[in-house]
Amino acid sequence: MGTRRAPSTRWRLPIAVAAGAIVAVAGLILLRCVYIALRSRLSTDPLTDPHGYELIAGTVLAFPAAAVVAVAAPFVVAPGPGRTRLAKTVTILLVVLTPLPLIALLTA
């Protein structure tokens, strides 16, 4: 008998490419939300965001974007130690980045 390949190997590359695109878009949205919230909070000009809508929207939209990145990022790498390492790295980055808008919102 010959060796059999797992049926999912045929779909590994398309899944990795799609997951990479999803992670890139969601990651850019996350970074933009964090930037908007922190810019609104750290601005000394009262006309920058007089009502605080940027601060609120940046905070609220950062959490779903971070969740999408956390879920899709491990699918970029094939199963094995590389996937575990990527998942740990992404988790650490998200734990550091995601609370920043929330801290900015709560200290306003």
Side-chain angles (χ1 to χ4, degrees):
M1 294 199 143
T3 59
R4 294 183 61 188
R5 289 178 32 184
S8 65
T9 57
R10 181 176 72 176
W11 295 101
R12 188 169 290 153
L13 181 63
I15 288 173
V17 170
I22 291 169
V23 167
V25 171
L28 290 174
I29 291 171
L30 173 64
L31 291 177
R32 179 70 177 162
C33 290
V34 170
Y35 170 74
I36 287 171
L38 292 179
R39 182 189 67 184
S40 172
R41 177 64 184 111
L42 300 176
S43 175
T44 57
D45 183 16
L47 296 179
T48 301
D49 187 20
H51 303 292
Y53 293 137
E54 289 181 355
L55 182 61
I56 294 168
T59 302
V60 170
L61 294 177
F63 287 103
V68 169
V69 171
V71 168
F75 290 103
V76 175
V77 180
R83 182 179 281 188
T84 305
R85 191 175 328 116
L86 178 67
K88 287 179 184 178
T89 305
V90 167
T91 302
I92 290 170
L93 287 173
L94 292 178
V95 165
V96 170
L97 282 179
T98 305
L100 289 178
L102 186 61
I103 292 168
L105 180 67
L106 295 177
T107 60

